[in-house]
Amino acid sequence: MPAVRDAGIVVIGSGMAGLTTALRLSPRPVTLLTKTPDLPGGSSPYAQGGVAAAIGPDDDPGDHAADTVAAGAGITDALMARLLAAEGADQIRRLLASGSAFDRDADGTPMLGREAAHGRARIVHAGGDATGRILTHEFADLVRRTGSITVMTQAFAVDLIVRDGRVHGVLACHAEDGWIFHRASHVVLATGGVGSVFLHTTNPAENTGDGLAMAARAGAALGDLEFVQFHPTALAVDDGSGKPLPLLTEALRGAGAVMLDGQGRRFMPAEHPDAELAPRDVVARAVWRRVAAGERVTLDMRAALAEDAGHFPTVLDLCAQAGIDPTREPVPIAPAAHYHMGGVVTDADGHTSIDGLWACGEVANTGVHGANRLASNSLLEALVFGDRVARAIAVAGAGSKRPPIAIPAIPSVPGNSGEAIAALRGSVRRAMYDHVGLSRDAPGLDRALKLLAGLEAERTGLKAQGSASFHDTVAWGELRNLLLSAVLITRAASQREESRGAHYRSDFPAALPAWQHRRFISLRDFDALRVPQQPVKEARHAVPAGL
Ligand SMILES: Cc1cc2nc3c(=O)[nH]c(=O)nc-3n(C[C@H](O)[C@H](O)[C@H](O)COP(=O)(O)OP(=O)(O)OC[C@H]3O[C@@H](n4cnc5c(N)ncnc54)[C@H](O)[C@@H]3O)c2cc1C
């Protein structure tokens, strides 16, 4: 039996979304759970480019919303985009007024960068390209100093406890205190994205789709799962260790960096009128096609760095760590899984289809990103929807009690299975990158589903070898979530027989009017792990050499 703790409101996740929600809920008592050893966590500290906000003198939230809708390839919820742009500008003004360390010029005016598919320079940034690190550390310090927030680190949320369509709390495994059932009438998922589902990703290893999988198991509605954005310019220096590929921020291309093919020629002007500043999916596929054909694609940022090296300290540092000097030579690049537009479906207040369950940040699917997220809109999304969730919980009544339910049982976790679990995790990630990445087709997707079903059978067949430590439980739980997220994404990708935004089907290369809508599913709609019946041909996509 787990210990039982009355928590009231639980926020899961210590990235920008979780930290924002917890702070905005103050002075209401909140328990903040995060599986990382300290605050902050997740992708948020890695964000380089900045936060998009229509605060410039020549800018308008309507224009920002229009750019957001245009990037979303026909299925963005326009009302959500207007809300994001308008409230986002307010949130950023509020942070500027409170002294947040955004880069400013000599008279204190915030400096604004330009990024792909934005019609204006509207990206506020901090420490040049260290925006995520600086903002999340500011927020984390505030959280630590807020008495109403109980922070529990190395706390791995394993399952949502839901009875009769209402949330009753979270079952979590803690490094120090073992298993705890946190009884709560409100649970906020702020668990980030699914990058680690793919072999190559810019996300940290902890982004394993936990929130998506927990919500799926609890029966929540999920949306737009097929839309996974690949960043076109990750530094192609994979050492096979499973570490995230370092990201070369889009702001470099905004500052004039260009992409070169194997012969050292620029190729983007022939691909799109906006060349290197075309929407991300267009740029990523153009890079992918060349990398998959065995070309060494590079990013030439020499001119951009000569102009303003001080703006890109993180990039310089990442290249130096890889033994590359980007001021002297173009650097090798490859696309890597970066952001999930799909997730747990919410309304404008972050409320999911389950009473008392909320979601914000990357794990949520508000419809604001459509089929393709506009650059630098996701930290903004975390700020805006984290705030909205907190306000909605305040209105709903933070203290409303649930009727007592039976204490949930502790799942059986195989101990000492580290190596087997790591091997299965690697196989999931490779299958997803090979068959469900930048270019998909029916045979490849069927092949992926078969492979995933086999891996799930191996996972459930793992035999207990002694008692499980906290680390065993995290490894086991992450693999369970990774596999379920992978299957859900693959199923959704199989069902959308067209190409749109970040979802490209080589067997259905056009966008079709009949498919110009979002898609919602829940785990109950199908047996997620059923092996597909169609004959499976050998998949055509392989991991490109040199990655
Ligand atoms: C390299 C990189 C650069 C980026 N640059 C930008 C940028 O310039 N601008 C921009 O807007 N966006 C950028 N993004 C995207 C953006 O950073 C993310 O979309 C955003 O930060 C997500 O915030 P989040 O709070 O929703 O999730 P995250 O920041 O990913 O946080 C998730 C948290 O949930 C916790 N968690 C997950 N599962 C569990 C569990 N089971 N139990 C307990 N805790 C759990 C994790 O430990 C973590 O603390 C970038 C992303 C990357 C990877």
Side-chain angles (χ1 to χ4, degrees), residues 26 34 57 80 104 139 170 179 372-373 390 457 469 482 513 527 544:
S26 164
T34 182
M80 290 286 191
R104 308 175 198 230
F139 277 49
V170 187
W179 288 88
N372 205 14
R373 176 191 68 123
S469 67
L482 209 67
D527 173 2

Side-chain angles (χ1 to χ4, degrees), residues 12-17 33-36 41-44 46-50 155-157 190-192 202-203 206-207 210 214 247 338-339 361-362 373 376-379:
I12 310 174
S14 62
M16 191 59 101
L33 303 180
T34 182
K35 62 180 171 177
T36 45
S43 288
S44 299
Y46 289 79
Q48 295 180 5
F156 180 60
T191 47
T202 61
N203 291 193
E206 65 258 29
N207 283 23
D210 294 0
M214 281 192 281
L247 181 99
H338 186 57
Y339 183 86
E362 192 168 336
R373 176 191 68 123
S376 287
N377 262 357
S378 40
L379 289 177

Side-chain angles (χ1 to χ4, degrees), residues 155-532:
F156 180 60
V158 172
D159 267 317
L160 299 167
I161 306 304
V162 173
R163 301 282 181 269
D164 303 322
R166 303 172 82 185
V167 90
H168 286 257
V170 187
L171 180 64
C173 180
H174 294 246
E176 302 255 302
D177 303 311
W179 288 88
I180 300 181
F181 170 38
H182 298 270
R183 235 182 335 222
S185 42
H186 298 283
V187 174
V188 182
L189 292 172
T191 47
V194 298
S196 293
V197 167
F198 296 88
L199 185 61
H200 297 298
T201 179
T202 61
N203 291 193
E206 65 258 29
N207 283 23
T208 45
D210 294 0
L212 180 68
M214 281 192 281
R217 286 193 292 271
L222 314 169
D224 302 332
L225 297 182
E226 60 273 37
F227 297 109
V228 178
Q229 187 174 72
F230 281 72
H231 199 288
T233 54
L235 188 61
V237 287
D238 192 5
D239 59 3
S241 67
K243 280 197 297 213
L245 293 190
L247 181 99
L248 303 173
T249 172
E250 207 125 44
L252 284 161
R253 280 176 279 135
V258 293
M259 294 190 299
L260 307 174
D261 65 14
Q263 280 79 47
R265 292 179 309 226
R266 261 184 94 189
F267 54 88
M268 278 314 296
E271 296 272 353
H272 193 277
D274 292 335
E276 278 82 0
L277 295 181
R280 258 190 197 164
D281 62 299
V282 175
V283 183
R285 271 196 302 280
V287 177
W288 166 260
R289 277 200 304 278
R290 287 164 178 83
V291 171
E295 286 186 47
R296 184 176 185 270
V297 180
T298 56
L299 184 71
D300 186 351
M301 50 179 126
R302 287 174 293 184
L305 293 176
E307 182 86 7
D308 185 12
H311 188 79
F312 301 107
T314 305
V315 166
L316 289 169
D317 190 39
L318 291 170
C319 290
Q321 284 174 33
I324 298 172
D325 181 354
T327 64
R328 298 174 69 90
E329 56 179 340
V331 305
I333 54 170
H338 186 57
Y339 183 86
H340 195 199
M341 276 71 73
V344 185
V345 174
T346 73
D347 63 15
D349 289 329
H351 200 219
T352 72
S353 59
I354 294 177
D355 187 15
L357 181 65
W358 310 75
C360 56
E362 192 168 336
V363 68
N365 173 240
T366 60
V368 78
H369 304 299
N372 205 14
R373 176 191 68 123
L374 184 65
S376 287
N377 262 357
S378 40
L379 289 177
L380 190 72
E381 168 189 39
L383 289 168
V384 168
F385 290 98
D387 179 63
R388 291 187 71 86
V389 165
R391 283 191 278 141
I393 290 178
V395 170
S400 55
K401 282 258 185 319
R402 296 286 192 246
I405 56 159
I407 311 285
I410 294 172
S412 150
V413 177
N416 295 315
S417 301
E419 268 180 39
I421 286 180
L424 288 174
R425 184 171 168 140
S427 301
V428 175
R429 301 182 67 195
R430 179 162 285 278
M432 290 300 284
Y433 196 76
D434 283 359
H435 305 299
V436 198
L438 282 117
S439 181
R440 303 160 170 177
D441 63 13
L445 293 164
D446 286 351
R447 172 103 184 120
L449 285 171
K450 276 207 156 186
L451 289 169
L452 294 170
L455 294 168
E456 173 66 4
E458 283 189 53
R459 184 192 73 79
T460 51
L462 286 172
K463 294 277 177 294
Q465 301 170 34
S467 59
S469 67
F470 172 71
H471 295 291
D472 289 331
T473 304
V474 174
W476 164 85
E478 287 188 342
L479 175 65
R480 182 167 77 132
N481 295 333
L482 209 67
L483 261 162
L484 181 52
S485 300
V487 172
L488 288 165
I489 292 167
T490 309
R491 286 263 179 213
S494 309
Q495 287 167 355
R496 187 175 281 274
E497 295 188 328
E498 66 149 3
S499 293
R500 182 178 298 280
H503 169 71
Y504 181 76
R505 293 275 307 246
S506 58
D507 47 355
F508 297 98
L512 302 177
W515 275 104
Q516 193 175 337
H517 56 81
R518 296 170 59 204
R519 283 195 64 250
F520 306 117
I521 56 170
S522 87
L523 196 52
R524 290 194 205 101
D525 296 340
F526 53 81
D527 173 2
L529 299 173
R530 186 172 55 90
V531 179

